[in-house]
């Protein structure tokens, strides 16, 4: 059922070819043999279903337990979200238990079913979106104060069943720790996706509003199953198109689908729209006409989308227009928009991703310098969205010094799920450890234990509005994310946005069980691969705290790039390699960016002898011959990382192959082939760095490592291919 | 089997919602009812299989006839193309007859099977790629001089069976009339497709060569089933990347898949590559180093791709580099490349799509002026590829005056399948009539009957190498072409490239039977819709010989555009509207482009009173108040076309709805929704033209037609939305 006939036929062909390959003469290949392809094909999984496979429950005793509650689905009169929940449950039970279960609203006194129950506040102190699942009166009760909570509970139960966990003593209860859990799509109206590596945008603007792609509903189901409750449809480098009536009705058609799954629709806005679209003379946020234009615009949107979520704004950042174009401050712009949202539930999300093109400044410090002075100046409807690190989604960054330093301003966190700096769709990098590492970082703003997570979830500064956003890695590729393992990054982001206490390993094991296999050995191999994948990537890409060895493309190694339209858009700006050493001095003797952190944090990082190696070159310019804690010099340590990192991809391939017997053949092959690309490119990275840094160190590759087979010029030539039109 | 579980689940949801909608209280919706969704879902067709559905043969008597030949597939020891053929046949028989049929090479003396037979030239005068299917000795024999012919015969037989045509007296024989039948992909290395409206490129350059998407094979199967034997993978606005070793090995991995289906792989080349990629001082085609570079480059390609097809070149056209940059002529460039292909089977395809930016010139005449003087100057390995019309793939154009005027130079024809000027993926326009109209046009170069087809197939001028190319409309959308009905354009192009004697109606009925339905009434309605669709589009878009009312986007109406980076990139350049009248005078009193045609052709078009209305404004500037053969003035006739064209979309919707009972629900809905978009946009076009032309005519909309509800300014505003970033 799960594979397109075409792909199925193709599998048959493959089998056929295999048989024939075994016998080049083309001798007797029996149809019986060839038709062995069939079961393979029908088992086939093209990845479209993500973690909602709903494979039949094989464990007979577990299945019989569940069947005790499969007599009916009890759903009180309800709105469309609870209807989605009941339909999803009916779907899931049908697949998992092979039983078609009725949905009924006349279940009083009946038992043996699964019953939805809307709680009154009297029942529980549980937050509105939370849910509880328990056994009572011979029924399984999914209860919540909201239909949305019931939907989340339904997906939690289906997850429980997919993992074949026992019903006995079932008592699941959970609530989200963060209020706004959303994806940011960097999708353009022409269908391209900025930094997207999984095909074209899911949103077909030329077809909307009349043509509503069924895939929109599957997108909503996948997100709702993780507790994601918001989606920003368009790129932060926003087109003014989306503020036109033509596009508002298109957006409304998408919002109508999202609404059924408790997802609110948001838009990124082009700050100069009053001028370019509205025909006004200015977009000055203090201009009355401009303020009136936005008010009217927001009203126009709510007319079409009554539950519209709000605006996301990238202003005065990387050339985008903003309030500073008129001598105003960020708060002026944000508060103007917030005022327009006053009559409605919507909010304004204002990005703190700003940095001036100043060769003498340290980009690391820019956001802190611009935004900390604004603390307390923002309207309560405004959330400031801060990237996890101070620069830009590098494979490893220290947490942004903004966290903890704006107690009067709700700070949301922005992670990047799409692998802009993580090898696009050909490198397997499990990102949960990146998210977890940042959320668990201690800012010390209110003493020890003042983690970024506690700032983001509002528990530290009592923010009313809390936000976690992830830049989506979805596209119209059949499997949504290009690399099959990249589905786990979408999954991990969603699960962590609901509960940041979950560990990377828990999430990995869960995702593997739902998506790939429940075989314990295979799961162990894949978990190991996933958990180590990020460190392996860092080792061959940017070890010891290196960052941004890229120019525009963010794909091929370019540590030598020293010419750019701005100094901070070159690679040398970041690594500062010279004849003496390597790294960016951000201590008092350098840019002193460290001063933006609390003393306890500074203490961890301001002494090169004590700075943990993963952060060393983030904060220090280190001599090539300096002996590190590993007993190796910086140069030796770098080479060790580059080489072991690249070689570890072979280990990843081994782990994947060990899991092969338990994997769907199509997904096995897909990942196996991508790992081959990753292996080749990891060596490319290693050689690029080693050969380039040798021009400074003049030292050979340490004993035990084979020097690169290619010259620096050859590597540059192969890189330049990817920079051509 | 045919629909992804996700979509299937979604269908269930839909049903669920329908039931609930019927009963907002959410009262009893029985699982039984809800599970009525199942059959619907399992019938589902997401369009991925194109015309290779292989639905089970329902006609029992026909089925039993076929079963008489389903005992085995007899395949002599063979290469991989015949293996593809046998696998495809095994696949098809399995689906069509529900029988798993053995492939064997020991079939001597056996009967009751389907047998492949390679003919010696003694057997028949049939051309190499031709095939014959006949009954003999109790077997069904598919014979050809080549494995490729056997593959084409196999697909012909499967087509025959899919249409449930009788076996009795089966005697199918066919040969291609043109030697090179190819698709041109305007796909860029970044995955975007120039003028593509069906998602991202099929070619995943970042994943290649290690990751070979199974979809490549399905692409090859679909093309081989039509007889297409070549594909140019990259945009004619070519990146030099493809000449690098990095990309050549990627291309080789794709070519390895294409080869199994008899398809040769070609590349578009960037003429300045010797400079930009090779680091030479020049790309002058007469420079020895440049000539050596290309020779070496071609050798390098053949090392990886032994059956490489050749180069496609866009030179000195729309800013692309070319020989004229060095004071050389097109032939110098083409012949230099041909020389590099001397040792190999490959060819050079040189595009004649050229026009200088001269406000006083007529773009219509440019290609003829530049290329006719070069007749006889090209190397025999060169084919000059000419667009069907003199301008650029307009909804209707007269045939290019180049056809017939270069008897010593093989002229290939280039059609555009992708709907650049035909409403992207939201307008249903069946293109076979466009192709057929051009191929059947009489050039009179050797007297009456000197059709474009006879020039293209070489019969008129005895070209050794003949070519038909189509600019592909494929992308990574699940259904390949975005608009489900656009699959028919790919199909029609392929069938006509094999046999230009087929009629648009034959091809439409065939495609509908293979793809949508075999119900005679439904097929009739859809055939009617398809056959009229092009005239309907022309009526609301560019009636009476209007052309190119676009600027850059080629989507929204812009007849008023009078500013462009070049005069011939504005809209007013083409329609020449003024207070007196409308149209481009190409008679002796005007640009005299007509003089490029033979006298017999001139006679048809040089007298405004006798020029057929579809071509009127192509050749004449006509007074607004001139009475036309219809009895209406030009203005009245224009309005009549704009209004009846837009209203005819409603008729298309009716035809589609009449076919609904026989259609897959998913495909029915997809097209029905797109027709709604088309209806809205058709009115947009109508109003834009009528309101704009009224600024010249100062006349009201004729009685019987309701004047536009919107003003010209309002239309312009809505259009400008689509021109924004």
């Amino acid at each position: 059922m799960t594979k397109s006939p075409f792909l199925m036929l193709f599998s048959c062909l493959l089998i056929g070819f295999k048989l024939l390959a075994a016998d080049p003469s083309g001798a007797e290949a029996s149809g019986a043999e060839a038709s062995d392809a069939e079961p393979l094909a029908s088992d086939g999984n093209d990845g479209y279903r993500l973690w909602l496979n709903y494979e039949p429950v094989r464990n007979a005793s577990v299945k019989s337990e569940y069947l005790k509650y499969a007599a009916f689905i009890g759903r009180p009169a309800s709105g469309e979200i609870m209807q989605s929940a009941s339909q999803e449950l009916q779907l899931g039970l049908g697949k998992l238990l092979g039983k078609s279960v009725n949905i009924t609203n006349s279940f009083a006194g009946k038992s043996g079913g699964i019953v939805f129950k809307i709680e009154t506040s009297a029942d529980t102190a549980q937050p509105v979106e939370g849910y509880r699942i328990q056994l009572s009166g011979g029924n399984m009760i999914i209860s919540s104060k909201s239909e949305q909570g019931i939907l989340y509970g339904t997906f939690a139960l289906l997850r429980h069943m997919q993992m074949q966990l026992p019903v006995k003593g079932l008592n699941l209860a959970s609530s989200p720790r963060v209020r706004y859990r959303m994806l940011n799509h960097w999708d353009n109206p022409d269908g391209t996706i900025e930094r997207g590596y999984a095909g074209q945008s899911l949103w077909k603007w030329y077809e909307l509003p009349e043509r509503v792609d069924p895939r929109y509903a599957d997108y909503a189901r996948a997100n709702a199953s993780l507790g994601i409750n918001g989606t920003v449809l368009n790129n932060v480098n926003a087109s003014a198109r989306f503020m036109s009536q033509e596009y508002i009705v298109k957006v409304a058609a998408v919002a109508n689908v999202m609404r059924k799954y408790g997802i609110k629709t948001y838009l990124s806005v082009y700050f100069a729209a009053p001028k370019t679209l509205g025909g006004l003379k200015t977009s000055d946020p203090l201009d009355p006409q401009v303020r009136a234009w936005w008010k009217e615009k927001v009203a126009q949107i709510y007319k079409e989308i009554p539950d519209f979520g709000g605006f996301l704004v990238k202003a005065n950042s990387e050339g985008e227009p903003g309030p500073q174009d008129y001598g105003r401050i960020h708060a002026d712009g944000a508060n103007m928009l917030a005022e327009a949202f006053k009559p409605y539930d919507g909010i304004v999300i204002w990005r703190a991703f700003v940095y001036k093109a100043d060769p003498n400044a340290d980009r690391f410090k820019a956001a802190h310098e611009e935004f900390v002075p604004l603390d307390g100046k923002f309207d309560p409807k405004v959330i400031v969205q801060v990237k996890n690190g101070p620069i830009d989604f590098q494979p490893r960054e220290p947490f942004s010094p903004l966290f903890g330093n704006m107690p009067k301003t709700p700070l949301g966190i922005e992670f990047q799920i799409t692998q802009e700096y993580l090898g696009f769709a050909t490198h397997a990098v499990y990102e949960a450890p990146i998210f977890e590492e940042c959320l668990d970082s201690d800012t010390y703003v209110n003493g020890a234990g003042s983690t970024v997570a506690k700032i983001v979830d509002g528990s530290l500064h009592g923010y009313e509005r809390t936000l976690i956003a992830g830049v989506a890695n979805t596209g119209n590729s059949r499997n949504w994310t290009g690399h099959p393992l990249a589905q786990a990054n979408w999954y991990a982001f969603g699960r962590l946005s609901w509960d940041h206490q979950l560990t990377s390993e828990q999430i990995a094991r869960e995702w593997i069980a739902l998506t790939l296999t429940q075989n314990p050995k295979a799961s162990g191999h894949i978990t190991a691969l996933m958990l180590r994948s990020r460190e392996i990537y860092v080792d061959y890409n940017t070890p010891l705290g290196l960052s941004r060895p890229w120019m525009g493309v963010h794909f091929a190694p370019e540590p030598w790039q020293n010419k750019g339209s701005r100094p901070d858009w070159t690679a040398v700006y970041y690594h500062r390699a010279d004849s003496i050493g390597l790294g960016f001095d951000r201590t008092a003797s350098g840019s002193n960016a460290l001063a933006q952190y609390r003393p306890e944090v500074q203490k961890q990082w301001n002494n090169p002898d004590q700075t943990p190696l993963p952060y060393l070159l983030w904060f220090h310019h280190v001599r090539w011959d300096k002996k590190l804690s590993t007993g190796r010099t910086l140069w030796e340590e770098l080479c060790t990382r580059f080489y072991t990192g690249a070689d570890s991809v072979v280990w990843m391939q081994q782990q994947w192959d060990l899991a092969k017997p338990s994997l769907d053949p199509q997904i096995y092959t897909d990942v196996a082939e991508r790992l081959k690309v990753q292996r080749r490119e990891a060596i490319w990275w290693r050689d690029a760095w080693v050969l380039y840094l040798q021009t400074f160190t003049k030292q050979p590759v340490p004993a035990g490592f084979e020097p690169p087979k290619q010259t620096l010029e050859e590597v540059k030539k192969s890189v330049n291919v990817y920079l051509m039109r």
Side-chain angles (χ1 to χ4, degrees), chain A:
Chain A
M1 293 300 296
T2 73
K3 201 179 196 176
S4 90
F6 242 36
L7 292 176
M8 189 176 90
L9 302 191
F10 182 69
S11 307
C12 305
L13 279 170
L14 276 181
I15 295 299
F17 287 133
K18 218 188 299 132
L19 293 167
L20 293 157
D23 183 352
S25 77
E28 189 85 25
S30 91
E33 281 180 77
S35 67
D36 291 349
E38 294 299 344
L40 174 153
S42 56
D43 290 346
N45 180 346
D46 63 14
Y48 184 79
R49 290 166 300 152
L50 297 161
W51 43 86
L52 299 176
N53 270 313
Y54 300 143
E55 293 290 344
V57 174
R58 291 210 178 74
N59 180 320
S61 68
V62 170
K63 182 174 177 179
S64 64
E65 286 185 70
Y66 284 120
L67 281 168
K68 292 188 192 134
Y69 300 92
F72 63 90
I73 296 167
R75 184 196 62 213
S78 74
E80 59 187 358
I81 295 177
M82 215 196 289
Q83 289 175 16
S84 300
S86 58
Q87 296 298 332
E88 188 73 26
L89 191 54
Q90 187 178 52
L91 248 42
L93 295 175
K95 295 255 157 210
L96 288 158
L97 307 180
K99 181 167 188 239
S100 156
V101 184
N102 291 10
I103 299 169
T104 176
N105 67 344
S106 54
F107 52 86
K110 288 192 190 170
S111 74
I114 302 175
V115 170
F116 294 163
K117 180 180 172 220
I118 294 285
E119 295 167 337
T120 64
S121 38
D123 299 332
T124 163
Q126 182 134 270
V128 166
E129 288 182 300
Y131 62 82
R132 173 171 288 105
I133 306 173
Q134 49 198 339
L135 306 178
S136 160
N139 290 318
M140 192 178 286
I141 313 289
I142 303 178
S143 60
S144 171
K145 285 189 181 141
S146 67
E147 294 205 355
Q148 215 163 322
I150 296 221
L151 178 64
Y152 298 142
T154 299
F155 277 112
L157 175 61
L158 286 166
R159 190 159 57 228
H160 194 78
M161 292 173 70
Q162 281 181 280
M163 294 169 74
Q164 308 190 54
L165 301 173
V167 174
K168 202 152 169 310
L170 180 71
N171 189 345
L172 295 172
S174 183
S175 302
R177 297 173 188 273
V178 170
R179 177 166 165 191
Y180 300 98
R181 307 172 299 274
M182 58 173 69
L183 290 184
N184 290 182
H185 288 274
W186 286 359
D187 295 19
N188 301 314
D190 66 1
T192 58
I193 302 177
E194 184 166 347
R195 313 306 180 181
Y197 314 105
Q200 219 177 26
S201 175
L202 293 167
W203 322 123
K204 308 285 178 227
W205 298 114
Y206 281 105
E207 302 175 9
L208 288 161
E210 292 88 350
R211 166 80 186 135
V212 179
D213 189 331
R215 190 165 187 167
Y216 301 160
D218 290 333
Y219 165 89
R221 291 175 56 233
N223 281 315
S225 74
L226 305 174
I228 289 170
N229 63 4
T231 180
V232 185
L233 298 182
N234 63 311
N235 192 352
V236 288
N237 297 320
S239 165
R241 291 189 193 196
F242 291 95
M243 293 295 105
S244 69
Q245 180 63 19
E246 283 76 7
Y247 273 71
I248 289 169
V249 296
K250 293 171 187 280
V251 172
V254 177
N256 290 341
V257 178
M258 298 302 143
R259 188 177 300 113
K260 296 188 175 83
Y261 296 91
I263 297 168
K264 284 190 174 186
T265 301
Y266 298 71
L267 289 173
S268 296
V269 295
Y270 183 64
F271 195 81
K275 248 176 110 169
T276 59
L277 183 72
L280 301 186
K281 288 192 182 49
T282 176
S283 296
D284 180 347
L286 298 195
D287 179 281
Q289 280 185 295
V290 172
R291 303 178 77 86
W293 188 87
W294 282 112
K295 274 197 185 128
E296 201 179 303
K297 186 54 64 180
V298 168
Q300 184 186 354
I301 293 171
Y302 275 92
K303 205 155 154 295
E304 306 290 342
I305 311 169
D307 64 336
F308 183 66
F311 288 160
L312 173 62
V313 190
K314 176 180 182 178
N316 294 121
S317 168
E318 297 182 329
E320 292 299 309
Q324 294 173 346
D325 303 347
Y326 305 95
R328 316 301 184 185
I329 59 173
H330 286 289
D332 293 327
N335 296 346
M336 165 190 67
L337 296 176
E339 184 183 69
F341 279 100
K342 273 268 173 324
Y344 313 101
D345 201 32
I347 57 172
V348 174
I349 306 164
W350 196 270
R351 290 173 94 234
F353 178 65
V354 296
Y355 56 103
K356 303 256 181 301
D358 175 355
N360 307 316
D362 178 0
R363 174 175 169 180
F364 189 112
K365 297 160 67 177
H368 185 285
E369 286 169 344
E370 272 199 54
F371 275 82
V372 168
L374 302 177
D375 190 27
K377 294 197 162 67
F378 289 96
D379 181 285
K381 267 180 168 295
V382 177
I383 300 175
V384 171
Q385 182 166 300
V386 182
K387 287 188 180 183
N388 60 291
I391 301 294
D392 188 20
F393 300 135
Q394 295 305 292
R396 169 170 276 115
E397 290 195 40
F399 66 91
S400 165
L402 268 178
F403 292 111
N405 288 315
M406 294 184 72
K408 302 200 220 68
T409 311
L411 296 183
I413 193 164
E414 175 178 326
F415 290 116
Q416 190 178 46
I417 310 171
T418 188
Q419 293 176 239
E420 174 178 1
Y421 298 100
L422 296 171
F424 291 11
T426 51
H427 293 234
V429 181
Y430 176 51
E431 296 168 340
I434 303 180
F435 307 151
E436 197 182 10
E437 182 175 276
C438 176
L439 291 165
D440 295 349
S441 297
D442 197 338
T443 67
Y444 289 92
V445 288
N446 290 6
S450 306
T451 61
V452 169
K454 287 187 185 167
I455 290 154
V456 170
D457 71 16
S459 55
L460 199 71
H461 293 143
Y463 300 148
E464 185 201 346
R465 296 188 166 83
T466 57
L467 163 77
I468 294 189
V471 180
N473 64 345
T474 53
N476 76 333
S477 293
R478 183 63 182 166
N479 72 357
W480 302 85
T481 58
H483 198 307
L485 297 184
Q487 292 184 353
N489 293 332
W490 180 7
Y491 186 86
F493 167 79
R495 296 286 285 138
L496 283 169
S497 71
W498 177 276
D499 181 2
H500 56 66
Q501 303 282 300
L502 297 168
T503 71
S504 298
E505 176 166 356
Q506 274 176 285
I507 296 169
R509 290 192 174 277
E510 197 176 87
W511 176 78
I512 292 164
L514 299 175
T515 311
L516 297 179
T517 177
Q518 293 187 14
N519 173 286
K521 281 193 65 180
S523 172
H525 291 301
I526 300 168
T527 305
L529 181 166
M530 288 171 68
L531 290 177
R532 274 195 58 193
S533 61
R534 185 269 192 122
E535 290 305 334
I536 289 167
Y537 182 83
V538 166
D539 279 346
Y540 62 71
N541 179 277
T542 43
L544 302 181
L546 285 169
S547 68
R548 224 180 161 296
W550 288 277
M551 288 283 283
V553 188
H554 301 179
F555 168 69
E558 302 171 77
W560 47 78
Q561 289 292 5
N562 54 11
K563 289 181 206 60
S565 52
R566 338 179 0 162
D568 47 8
W569 286 354
T570 65
V572 298
Y573 174 94
Y574 295 91
H575 62 64
R576 311 261 154 147
D578 58 28
S579 59
I580 292 123
L582 182 69
F584 198 129
D585 182 357
R586 293 190 165 101
T587 65
S589 59
S591 76
N592 204 19
L594 260 177
Q596 294 182 336
Y597 293 99
R598 289 291 191 281
E600 298 89 333
V601 179
Q602 293 181 35
K603 227 167 106 270
Q604 298 167 13
W605 293 334
N606 64 7
N607 177 346
D609 298 321
Q610 277 135 43
T611 304
L613 293 185
Y615 296 95
L616 183 62
L617 304 177
W618 268 109
F619 297 105
H620 305 284
H621 191 68
V622 180
R623 299 182 57 86
W624 296 112
D625 57 8
K626 179 183 172 60
K627 271 244 183 294
L628 305 182
S629 54
T630 58
R632 290 182 280 262
T633 66
L634 173 62
W635 169 244
E636 291 164 344
E637 187 62 32
L638 282 166
C639 290
T640 305
R641 303 280 177 131
F642 289 129
Y643 276 85
T644 52
D647 292 342
S648 299
V649 178
V650 176
W651 172 84
M652 291 169 78
Q653 293 174 302
Q654 290 160 351
Q655 297 307 304
W656 187 249
D657 287 344
L658 286 166
K660 180 175 182 180
S662 313
L663 293 171
D664 172 86
Q666 201 180 338
I667 288 180
Y668 165 78
T669 303
D670 190 338
V671 173
E673 289 178 347
R674 289 173 200 271
L675 283 167
K676 284 189 195 137
V677 182
Q678 183 174 356
R679 166 67 173 159
R680 172 171 53 82
E681 292 179 347
I683 292 168
W684 198 29
W685 274 98
R686 178 196 74 193
D687 290 357
W689 268 118
V690 168
L691 293 165
Y692 168 67
L693 294 181
Q694 274 185 318
T695 64
F696 299 97
T697 64
K698 315 288 186 200
Q699 294 178 54
V701 172
F705 299 122
E706 193 191 338
K709 290 194 181 57
Q710 47 194 339
T711 67
L712 181 55
E713 281 323 300
E714 286 166 340
V715 176
K716 285 184 177 177
K717 212 173 156 222
S718 68
V719 166
N720 289 337
V721 166
Y722 292 89
L723 309 181
M724 291 178 175
R725 165 178 97 167

